[in-house]
Amino acid sequence: ELGRTLVRERLSKFVTQFGLRGVDEGAARLMGEAMEERLRSLLIAVRPVAVHRVNGNKEIFGKDSVVPTTDPRKTWKQQQADAAARAAERKGGSGDGGEEVGGKGDGGGGGGGG
């Protein structure tokens, strides 16, 4: 009921700009139903786009072909260590986990701002 009251308030404010005194309850209800139907049709139209965006690569290349390889919460060094561990697992080796990929430095550069 709060939504209907809000719709009626907004419609009343709108029609007073054009010199009308108020909005009939039936007109406010009809306008609310029309807005609800329009929002529903928009959401129905947007849903396939959202699903395609999330599942697109998995459908094209197969469900096991797309695997997240990075975690934005980890540092570059942690991501490289994880990549080395995954590579060692694929090769069938145990991997000692102590060696970092990329040699010295973290590739982050040394510059400050500027």
Side-chain angles (χ1 to χ4, degrees):
E1 295 303 316
L2 178 62
R4 290 180 191 238
T5 307
L6 186 59
V7 169
R8 187 165 180 159
E9 278 181 26
R10 297 257 173 126
L11 281 173
S12 294
K13 186 184 281 188
F14 180 72
V15 298
T16 54
Q17 294 174 357
F18 297 98
L20 300 173
R21 286 179 275 156
V23 178
D24 183 47
E25 178 63 34
R29 184 175 39 81
L30 185 61
M31 183 62 100
E33 289 176 9
M35 286 189 297
E36 183 179 328
E37 184 64 30
R38 178 63 178 149
L39 285 173
R40 183 178 293 122
S41 68
L42 287 172
L43 289 174
I44 288 170
V46 169
R47 185 185 180 281
V49 175
V51 170
H52 173 74
R53 181 177 175 153
V54 172
N55 295 334
N57 290 334
K58 290 182 182 179
E59 290 175 1
I60 293 170
F61 300 114
K63 72 175 191 173
D64 294 331
S65 65
V66 179
V67 179
T69 57
T70 61
D71 183 354
R73 296 170 292 186
K74 292 184 178 180
T75 66
W76 186 85
K77 286 183 179 182
Q78 290 171 331
Q79 290 181 19
Q80 293 302 310
D82 289 349
R86 283 192 305 271
E89 286 177 15
R90 279 193 291 262
K91 289 181 182 178
S94 62
D96 60 0
E99 185 177 327
E100 290 185 16
V101 175
K104 294 183 179 179
D106 62 357

